[in-house]
Amino acid sequence: MSQNQIEVLQRALLRERTARKAAEKILEDKSRELYEANQKLEATNTQLETSLTNADSQLQGVFENIVDAYVITDLWGNILKMNDSAVKLLGFKDVNVDFNLLEMLDITEQDKVQSWFEGMKKQGTSTDFHVNITTVANQKKLVHINSSLIYDDGVAVAVQGIVRDITVDNKYKKSIEAERLKYSNIIANMNLGLIEINKAGEILMINHSFSELSGYKEEELIGKQGAVIFPFDSKGVELIEEERRKRVNGESNSYELQIKTKTGEARYWLVSGAPNLNLEGEQIGSIAVALDITDFKNLQNQKEKLLSKLEKSNDELQEYAHIVSHDLKSPLRSINALVSWLKEDNQGKLDDVSLQNFGLIETTLEKMEQLITDVLNYSSVGADNSVKVNVDLNSMVSELVSMLYIPDYIEIKSLNILPNIKGDKTKLQQVFQNLISNSVKFIDKEKGSIVIDVEDLKSHYKFSIKDNGIGIDKKYHDKIFKIFHSLKKSKDSSGIGLSIVKKIVNLHEGEIWLDSEPNVGTTFYFTLKK
């Protein structure tokens, strides 16, 4: 072998060694990269396994704790899995059961369920399906189902569904619908007219009664402005507009409105209006109820005219009573004067019988004049034209007692401080004066007693004046308040005093009565409005 050949071989061997080292270096680098990749894959796999475990745990938690019943069945209805809510809903004791849900169906529901399942196989999902079932615990329920198919490699293998008991909800809905129908019938047939208006004042709905009140059919009013159709005059238009603004501000109230019907007849309505709100509490218009008060208004106008005539008649009667009183007293005074002149002219010439007769004439004249005065007072009491003021009854009665003649053997006392009330002071003084004077007049005991008391009632004060006088038999209790009824005839008793007292008490919106026993005493009770 020549030197040249040897050199060629050496160069070839060197190239082979160099190539082998390069290859080994590449192999070593690739091995290291493969090892690192393998380590990363193992770490990633571990993370995925952890994530899957966590996700499975979370899904299991959701499955177990979901509020609604969750059930998985095979395609023939056999239960594969369910949560605790499903156990409770369907009446089972625990989740481990071997049961076919189709057994719970009512026989009338089978075709409905078959149709539902066929539809779900085509769509893959189904929502808002309602079906009646009978649970294991023999409870009939209406359930709402949302369901979907479970696939494995594109093939449906099971059905999952969320089941909700809507039995109570359904009853509520039926109850609400029944209530709606009931009130719709009431609204349609009630005697009050009902109208619904939007915020722009356009009519949305009326009931049958409103149609009868107004003379318009519903189709003639829907969408029209009530403020344009109904008001009788411009005042009515302004009133409706003002009331509409009140509704916008959330106010409810009632008002009278003169309207014209479809035939042009003027009528009076009492309208009660209120804002109309939607479920969100937003105002969408107003609702009003109308009552025809035309007949009442006519009666009211007649009453006002009659009251005006009555007031005029009372004034004329009052004036007439004063004239008659004056005209009747004039001859009495003339007779009294003639008697006095006769007695003076014949002084010393008249015997005892004649003087006694003249005395009887004078007594009769005094009684006649007192009677005329009492009749005038009685007629004046009915004319309640005086201004009512705050009256201190305690001070008034104290002053009255100091002015009246009270014998020493009679004691007058008040058990409680008398209140202040609003009334006619002069007339109230007449009440206490008459009753106290009567008590003084008819006390026949050596030691007389008059006790004044008061009791606070809700809207009135109840007063009592009690004495230990001769008393009054029960059969006269009603008669003594009538005019000209006096139980004891005397020159200073006309039988009108208690009649005047009764009229004054009535004017102060009160009542008067008595409790009495002969030879024991009498208590007069009367009430006065606060």
Side-chain angles (χ1 to χ4, degrees):
M1 183 179 293
S2 65
Q3 185 66 32
N4 288 334
Q5 290 177 330
I6 292 171
E7 289 178 357
V8 170
L9 288 173
Q10 287 178 340
R11 286 195 295 270
L13 182 60
L14 179 62
R15 286 197 296 270
E16 184 181 347
R17 287 176 179 173
T18 302
R20 186 183 298 117
K21 286 182 180 179
E24 287 177 352
K25 178 72 169 62
I26 292 170
L27 182 61
E28 185 179 345
D29 291 341
K30 293 297 181 181
S31 294
R32 185 168 57 254
E33 288 177 3
L34 183 62
Y35 175 77
E36 290 175 353
N38 184 58
Q39 291 297 313
K40 288 181 180 178
L41 283 173
E42 287 182 357
T44 302
N45 186 56
T46 302
Q47 289 176 354
L48 285 173
E49 288 180 351
T50 303
S51 297
L52 285 171
T53 302
N54 291 338
D56 184 64
S57 177
Q58 290 172 358
L59 288 172
Q60 184 66 25
V62 171
F63 176 80
E64 292 176 352
N65 297 308
I66 187 172
V67 175
D68 292 319
Y70 179 74
V71 183
I72 299 176
T73 70
D74 61 22
L75 297 180
W76 296 270
N78 297 304
I79 296 175
L80 301 177
K81 193 173 185 179
M82 61 180 167
N83 65 357
D84 290 339
S85 296
V87 170
K88 184 177 179 181
L89 172 65
L90 301 176
F92 296 112
K93 292 182 179 179
D94 56 56
V95 297
N96 300 313
V97 295
D98 182 12
F99 192 84
N100 191 298
L101 288 181
L102 297 179
E103 295 178 21
M104 291 187 177
L105 294 177
D106 189 288
I107 191 169
T108 60
E109 300 277 53
Q110 290 180 354
D111 292 340
K112 177 180 174 182
V113 172
Q114 182 64 34
S115 176
W116 161 74
F117 186 69
E118 292 298 328
M120 187 176 61
K121 284 199 297 184
K122 293 178 182 178
Q123 301 293 330
T125 61
S126 173
T127 58
D128 297 329
F129 179 66
H130 294 178
V131 64
N132 289 291
I133 64 170
T134 301
T135 68
V136 174
N138 202 31
Q139 292 180 326
K140 294 187 179 297
K141 294 183 178 182
L142 176 66
V143 294
H144 169 279
I145 302 173
N146 288 333
S147 59
S148 63
L149 294 174
I150 298 174
Y151 296 91
D152 184 13
D153 289 334
V155 178
V157 294
V159 180
Q160 62 180 350
I162 292 177
V163 186
R164 181 175 296 172
D165 185 355
I166 59 170
T167 310
V168 175
D169 291 346
N170 189 57
K171 287 181 180 178
Y172 281 148
K173 285 180 181 178
K174 287 182 177 179
S175 176
I176 290 170
E177 180 62 20
E179 290 293 308
R180 189 188 68 79
L181 289 173
K182 180 176 75 173
Y183 287 111
S184 294
N185 289 331
I186 290 173
I187 288 170
N189 298 296
M190 68 182 182
N191 291 327
L192 297 173
L194 181 73
I195 182 170
E196 182 180 351
I197 301 169
N198 64 18
K199 293 181 77 173
E202 297 169 340
I203 298 171
L204 301 178
M205 181 274 291
I206 65 169
N207 69 347
H208 179 68
S209 294
F210 191 92
S211 179
E212 290 186 338
L213 289 178
S214 65
Y216 290 94
K217 294 180 181 178
E218 186 174 17
E219 55 267 25
E220 294 177 300
L221 294 177
I222 300 302
K224 302 292 178 59
Q225 290 281 339
V228 175
I229 297 175
F230 298 117
F232 184 77
D233 52 25
S234 58
K235 290 182 180 177
V237 175
E238 293 172 1
L239 178 59
I240 288 181
E241 181 57 28
E242 180 185 346
E243 294 299 326
R244 190 188 69 80
R245 286 195 294 270
K246 288 181 181 178
R247 301 298 164 267
V248 172
N249 292 329
E251 295 182 36
S252 302
N253 70 323
S254 299
Y255 58 95
E256 289 184 11
L257 175 68
Q258 188 178 20
I259 63 100
K260 64 176 182 290
T261 64
K262 184 178 179 180
T263 60
E265 181 186 6
R267 306 290 293 180
Y268 286 95
W269 287 356
L270 176 63
V271 182
S272 295
N276 188 20
L277 308 177
N278 62 17
L279 294 176
E280 285 73 37
E282 300 168 340
Q283 189 176 135
I284 56 175
S286 61
I287 294 177
V289 175
L291 172 67
D292 191 318
I293 57 169
T294 306
D295 293 340
F296 172 76
K297 287 291 290 185
N298 291 337
L299 288 173
Q300 192 176 44
N301 291 334
Q302 291 176 19
K303 177 185 172 183
E304 288 174 358
K305 290 177 182 178
L306 287 172
L307 286 174
S308 178
K309 288 181 179 179
L310 181 61
E311 187 176 354
K312 184 178 179 182
S313 297
N314 282 338
D315 291 340
E316 291 173 351
L317 183 61
Q318 187 78 8
E319 185 178 355
Y320 176 74
H322 280 87
I323 293 171
V324 169
S325 174
H326 179 270
D327 290 348
L328 287 176
K329 284 184 177 182
S330 292
L332 291 178
R333 288 169 183 157
S334 298
I335 294 170
N336 192 48
L338 287 172
V339 170
S340 298
W341 294 342
L342 284 171
K343 285 170 68 177
E344 289 175 4
D345 292 345
N346 295 281
Q347 193 171 7
K349 299 178 183 179
L350 299 173
D351 57 17
D352 291 341
V353 176
S354 298
L355 290 172
Q356 186 178 357
N357 288 334
F358 278 124
L360 289 173
I361 292 172
E362 290 174 331
T363 299
T364 303
L365 290 172
E366 289 177 12
K367 188 172 182 179
M368 281 295 296
E369 186 168 359
Q370 181 63 44
L371 180 60
I372 293 167
T373 300
D374 287 345
V375 169
L376 179 60
N377 290 337
Y378 183 79
S379 65
S380 300
V381 168
D384 188 23
N385 298 323
S386 57
V387 178
K388 291 186 177 181
V389 296
N390 285 319
V391 182
D392 183 350
L393 293 181
N394 206 62
S395 299
M396 186 193 76
V397 171
S398 297
E399 292 172 6
L400 182 62
V401 169
S402 65
M403 289 189 296
L404 292 174
Y405 170 68
I406 310 295
D408 294 338
Y409 66 90
I410 295 177
E411 179 188 11
I412 298 178
K413 64 179 179 180
S414 293
L415 296 182
N416 290 293
I417 296 175
L418 303 182
N420 292 0
I421 69 165
K422 200 163 189 177
D424 185 323
K425 184 175 182 179
T426 303
K427 288 185 173 68
L428 291 172
Q429 186 170 314
Q430 278 183 279
V431 170
F432 283 93
Q433 182 174 336
N434 268 312
L435 294 177
I436 293 172
S437 296
N438 274 352
S439 293
V440 171
K441 190 188 304 180
F442 295 112
I443 287 178
D444 59 347
K445 310 296 189 297
E446 290 184 3
K447 189 173 182 181
S449 171
I450 298 174
V451 179
I452 302 170
D453 198 8
V454 63
E455 181 181 348
D456 191 348
L457 305 181
K458 259 188 176 181
S459 58
H460 290 69
Y461 288 109
K462 185 175 85 171
F463 298 88
S464 64
I465 298 179
K466 180 180 180 181
D467 65 55
N468 62 342
I470 62 174
I472 303 171
D473 196 298
K474 193 168 185 178
K475 63 183 179 180
Y476 299 116
H477 284 191
D478 292 330
K479 291 182 179 180
I480 61 171
F481 293 111
K482 295 178 180 178
I483 192 168
F484 300 133
H485 278 73
S486 177
L487 300 182
K488 186 177 180 182
K489 303 297 181 182
S490 64
K491 71 175 184 178
D492 55 349
S493 177
S494 61
I496 295 179
L498 287 176
S499 302
I500 292 174
V501 168
K502 189 175 189 309
K503 286 192 76 171
I504 295 172
V505 169
N506 290 341
L507 284 174
H508 288 79
E509 301 179 52
E511 297 178 351
I512 185 167
W513 69 98
L514 73 149
D515 183 17
S516 183
E517 186 178 343
N519 301 318
V520 175
T522 301
T523 303
F524 279 94
Y525 298 96
F526 61 95
T527 57
L528 298 174
K529 191 173 177 64
K530 291 183 178 179

